[in-house]
Amino acid sequence: MSQLREAVFRRKEKLIQKLLALGIYKKEEHHLYELTLSEIETEYLNEIKRKKPN
């Protein structure tokens, strides 16, 4: 596995674990593992913004 592919995989796994800890399992009808890294990053950032106290 190339270094870039491995880094993307690790980043994706790390963010999925964080989303799972926040109680997020799916985006619409898609499981997190089906999403791209960009989609997962966006979902994570949106969830952090939503939960951040003002």
Side-chain angles (χ1 to χ4, degrees):
M1 187 180 291
S2 73
Q3 288 181 344
L4 178 59
R5 188 177 303 239
E6 189 173 323
V8 168
F9 177 79
R10 281 192 308 242
R11 173 79 173 145
K12 190 174 172 180
E13 287 293 315
K14 189 176 196 178
L15 288 174
I16 287 172
Q17 291 304 314
K18 289 182 178 187
L19 285 167
L20 291 173
L22 293 171
I24 308 297
Y25 301 96
K26 293 175 93 176
K27 181 180 179 185
E28 299 167 7
E29 325 91 44
H30 301 285
H31 290 279
L32 296 176
Y33 291 98
E34 298 174 307
L35 303 176
T36 65
L37 176 57
S38 296
E39 291 170 323
I40 293 170
E41 287 175 328
T42 300
E43 188 67 22
Y44 180 72
L45 292 174
N46 289 340
E47 191 62 28
I48 294 300
K49 287 178 188 175
R50 206 166 55 89
K51 293 205 178 216
K52 185 177 177 182
N54 291 326

